[in-house]
Amino acid sequence: MNERDAAALVADLVGDRAGEWDRAGRLPGDVLAELAGKGVLCAEVPAEHGGLGLSSVDNGELTAAVGALCGSLRSLLTSHGMAAWTLSRFGNAEQRATHLPRLTSGALAGVAFSEPGAGSDLSAMTTTIVRDGQSVVVSGRKVWVTGAAYADLLVVFGRHGDGAAIVVVPANAPGVRIERVPEPVGCRAAGHADVHLDAVRLPADLLLGGAGLPVTLLATAALGYGRLSVAWGCVGILRACLAATTRHATTREQFGVPIAEHQLVARHLAELHVAERSATHTCAHASRCWDAGTPETVEATLLAKHLAATAAARGAAAALQVMGSAGARDGHPVARAYRDAKLMEIIEGSAEICQLALAKHAIAEWT
Ligand SMILES: Cc1cc2nc3c(=O)[nH]c(=O)nc-3n(C[C@H](O)[C@H](O)[C@H](O)COP(=O)(O)OP(=O)(O)OC[C@H]3O[C@@H](n4cnc5c(N)ncnc54)[C@H](O)[C@@H]3O)c2cc1C
């Protein structure tokens, strides 16, 4: 299946039901089973592990297509894809051969970094991953894990000796308790949940490679995938806003003409168009860097995430303004975009955290 076939399958399965799912706070199990079962939620996994083997550029366009339809489903695609990427990056050959085919054939995964006391500063994590003979024991509490309410397995980050480690935790392992986040502001059907890990004892072969490396190194590698995926999802939000606002502004008449003919409304449409085009180009550049494995990938990904998330948050607010009361109700695609887009400025490195990192790149390049 190529990117277009995958996007067509998603469009067929989602139809116009995203608003209904958002209000219900739940994605239908059959939709998730079909998409996860066909490898669409982690489409960059190579064919040898049952994946679609898409490039980052093609997976990016697929992510934007999903993001334009349903922010909750796109959130799941991001976290499931990030779990697969983390397993590919840090798993040994045996771990890849065990876990990746599960993720391309129906099992769902989430990634758990954040804790009550460790948000932007992941070095404050207190969850421990301790080796005990042929076992590994995981203790702690993770918060806001996207997709955890649906997950079969969780990729959990924690302290390990002087450094950090990553362990694959089956969601049904004894000692795991999953508690949904009640009524999130946006992406309400994405299954965000807190995960309690009460001395969870697992076979040691669930510990991924890289154990003992600094947390910043482990987390940054995994977050890179998530940042680019969120950025492409924001391109989708902007496209959904453009589709709704251009249709509305050319048909809704006030003062005897379509509102698009009022220059202040036209300016909103122009700015949305600029936002979508610039976010698309920045994301495509980052994906090309990712596909080529160039050293610029880290900075290009940060730039894409920051630009696309802030453009989506600003663009969705402008889109709601153009819609007026027509968009001002729960479940309307632009109202959903407005709530979902705001969250994109908080996750996978908040706007401020991205700015701090981008400032370092600027200083390195220009002084
Ligand atoms: C919808 C959603 C989905 C999520 N999904 C996941 C998931 O799947 N897995 C997971 O592990 N976590 C997830 N999270 C948690 C997310 O990663 C954190 O919310 C994020 O890292 C920010 O941490 P925080 O919320 O604790 O905010 P804080 O770190 O407390 O920050 C609060 C504010 O202070 C600012 N700030 C903090 N430090 C600095 C600084 N040094 N300089 C300037 N400003 C600063 C921040 O930018 C922010 O504006 C999710 C959160 C949300 C809302």
Side-chain angles (χ1 to χ4, degrees):
M1 193 175 351
N2 62 25
E3 170 250 321
R4 284 194 190 156
D5 293 337
L9 175 66
V10 173
D12 192 36
L13 289 171
V14 175
D16 60 0
R17 294 193 290 160
E20 183 190 311
W21 299 343
D22 189 60
R23 282 195 300 278
R26 193 139 203 104
L27 294 169
D30 58 332
V31 170
L32 293 180
E34 173 134 19
L35 293 174
K38 291 188 167 150
V40 173
L41 300 181
C42 53
E44 287 178 49
V45 171
E48 62 169 309
H49 295 306
L52 305 184
L54 295 192
S55 66
S56 175
V57 172
D58 285 347
N59 191 31
E61 280 295 344
L62 170 62
T63 304
V66 178
L69 286 170
C70 178
S72 293
L73 184 58
R74 199 280 311 148
S75 300
L76 234 70
L77 175 142
T78 294
S79 53
H80 187 79
M82 187 163 40
W85 161 251
T86 306
L87 279 158
S88 307
R89 173 81 178 70
F90 294 106
N92 59 30
E94 206 180 317
Q95 289 167 328
R96 288 197 297 274
T98 304
H99 300 298
L100 290 176
R102 288 192 65 203
L103 297 192
T104 54
S105 64
L108 285 166
V111 181
F113 308 94
S114 307
E115 298 182 4
S120 301
D121 179 13
L122 289 177
S123 70
M125 279 191 315
T126 57
T127 293
T128 53
I129 299 174
V130 178
R131 184 78 192 247
D132 180 20
Q134 291 309 304
S135 301
V136 63
V137 181
V138 193
S139 305
R141 181 179 162 205
K142 297 293 179 182
V143 295
W144 274 99
V145 181
T146 300
Y150 306 111
D152 299 290
L153 55 96
L154 298 159
V155 173
V156 174
F157 287 66
R159 308 195 79 80
H160 182 76
D162 291 338
I166 311 167
V167 68
V168 179
V169 178
N172 62 359
V176 177
R177 186 163 59 85
I178 293 172
E179 187 184 7
R180 273 191 88 129
V181 174
E183 299 176 0
V185 164
C187 302
R188 290 171 176 169
H192 306 115
D194 293 358
V195 178
H196 301 260
L197 301 151
D198 184 11
V200 181
R201 184 171 285 273
L202 302 165
D205 61 7
L206 292 176
L207 188 66
L208 300 186
L213 287 173
V215 64
T216 42
L217 210 142
L218 287 184
T220 307
L223 279 171
Y225 182 98
R227 284 183 176 151
L228 192 46
S229 182
V230 165
W232 277 109
C234 289
V235 168
I237 289 177
L238 286 163
R239 290 179 185 172
C241 287
L242 271 166
T245 52
T246 50
R247 197 166 46 239
H248 182 70
T250 50
T251 51
R252 167 76 174 165
E253 292 193 0
Q254 286 295 279
F255 301 97
V257 292
I259 58 171
E261 291 181 25
H262 299 304
Q263 289 178 343
L264 292 176
V265 175
R267 188 181 65 182
H268 283 310
L269 299 181
E271 284 177 355
L272 262 171
H273 182 60
V274 170
E276 187 277 326
R277 288 289 75 202
S278 48
T280 299
H281 290 310
T282 314
C283 286
H285 173 67
S287 277
R288 283 193 297 272
C289 290
W290 187 277
D291 285 332
T294 66
E296 200 196 329
T297 304
V298 173
E299 188 204 349
T301 299
L302 260 173
L303 190 62
K305 196 279 168 176
H306 184 57
L307 187 143
T310 50
R314 214 173 29 243
L320 195 49
Q321 191 67 22
V322 170
M323 297 301 300
S325 60
R329 61 186 166 75
D330 212 6
H332 189 280
V334 172
R336 259 192 300 118
Y338 177 68
R339 289 187 282 100
D340 294 353
K342 183 61 211 166
L343 294 182
M344 300 305 110
E345 290 192 304
I346 295 172
I347 61 167
E348 312 292 356
S350 66
E352 291 80 7
I353 294 300
C354 288
Q355 282 171 321
L356 288 177
L358 286 166
K360 284 188 187 147
H361 285 286
I363 291 165
E365 190 171 337
W366 291 96
T367 53

